[in-house]
Amino acid sequence: MNILEGFSKNDDLVEFICTKCNYSLWVPRFIVQELEEDNLFNGLDPSVPPQPFCQVCDGIMTPKSYTGIRGVHYEYRK
């Protein structure tokens, strides 16, 4: 299943990258916001970005550049 099925390049997407294998994936912003709300619900510190598991390896994906619902800006740097 393609997560972007039904979305166009004009939709608001956030690029994620795997910190282990460098796999890149574009995710609709509303899904990223849901992941961030899950972090909030689970009591994680606001400095922790939304981080789904990689679909390719056993790594963690993180947003390349994203300003979250709480105003925190996340920027991935190697």
Side-chain angles (χ1 to χ4, degrees):
M1 180 179 127
N2 182 353
I3 194 168
L4 297 179
E5 191 172 312
F7 288 90
S8 73
K9 291 184 179 189
N10 295 328
D11 288 309
D12 197 9
L13 303 173
V14 177
E15 185 177 13
F16 276 74
I17 188 162
C18 178
T19 59
K20 185 174 182 180
C21 73
N22 291 322
Y23 173 71
S24 178
L25 176 70
W26 289 90
V27 180
R29 184 172 297 275
F30 76 92
I31 293 175
V32 179
Q33 290 171 340
E34 287 179 12
L35 292 170
E36 192 176 4
E37 288 171 357
D38 287 347
N39 283 0
L40 180 62
F41 180 77
N42 291 326
L44 294 178
D45 188 272
S47 66
V48 177
Q51 295 180 309
F53 291 106
C54 181
Q55 298 173 346
V56 175
C57 72
D58 61 348
I60 299 291
M61 300 195 77
T62 192
K64 274 192 162 183
S65 181
Y66 168 68
T67 300
I69 56 177
R70 295 176 274 181
V72 177
H73 183 73
Y74 306 102
E75 187 83 29
Y76 175 69
R77 293 187 180 98
K78 283 188 173 186

